[in-house]
Amino acid sequence: VNNNASQYILKLSGTLWSPKMDFHPPFLMLMPVPLGVETESVITIIPQNFIRQSRITVKLPELELADGTRTCPFSVQFPEGQDIVLSSDGTANELTCYISFRSSKPMSFLGEMLFIDQEEN
């Protein structure tokens, strides 16, 4: 600095936090209903450590029935949108998600629905 040939060492350190989503409730149990009747539940998605806006999508499981046919009896709706939006203080908005199930054939299911952001996290 100022034509001084001295060397300066600058050390930087930091922590990188991976984006994640918490769910409330942490698991979902839909009530048994008669065939052809829809059952629905609401979950809240709580995004954490997102540094930019992101869009959430859901990979729904496809189930195989006893007769070999495949079906996806689940549907998902985001009534207030699927975008994680950061506020001025760096926190992200919570998302409301409606998950519903309807089947014309008897079935039960224990498995996962995958909620991912646009970067496949």
Side-chain angles (χ1 to χ4, degrees):
V1 180
N2 296 335
N3 295 326
N4 188 345
S6 299
Q7 293 183 0
Y8 294 91
I9 297 175
L10 179 63
K11 292 184 180 183
L12 301 174
S13 65
T15 303
L16 178 62
W17 297 92
S18 296
K20 69 176 190 171
M21 292 179 273
D22 287 335
F23 297 88
H24 182 73
F27 65 92
L28 180 67
M29 184 183 310
L30 297 171
M31 298 305 297
V33 292
L35 295 178
V37 174
E38 184 175 87
T39 182
E40 181 179 74
S41 189
V42 179
I43 62 168
T44 301
I45 301 170
I46 306 158
Q48 296 181 354
N49 304 325
F50 281 81
I51 58 173
R52 63 182 153 273
Q53 182 171 326
S54 189
R55 186 168 187 85
I56 300 300
T57 57
V58 184
K59 290 186 180 179
L60 298 173
E62 190 174 277
L63 310 177
E64 185 171 343
L65 302 175
D67 64 3
T69 59
R70 299 189 69 78
T71 184
C72 182
F74 298 98
S75 65
V76 174
Q77 293 182 333
F78 293 88
E80 298 155 8
Q82 295 172 242
D83 293 330
I84 295 174
V85 179
L86 300 177
S87 65
S88 59
D89 66 358
T91 59
N93 63 312
E94 294 182 352
L95 301 175
T96 301
C97 179
Y98 291 95
I99 299 174
S100 59
F101 173 90
R102 180 191 312 241
S103 177
S104 60
K105 297 186 178 184
M107 68 172 64
S108 63
F109 169 75
L110 174 62
E112 297 179 352
M113 292 181 179
L114 199 57
F115 289 77
I116 57 174
D117 67 11
Q118 59 202 32
E119 296 177 9
E120 299 288 320
N121 293 312

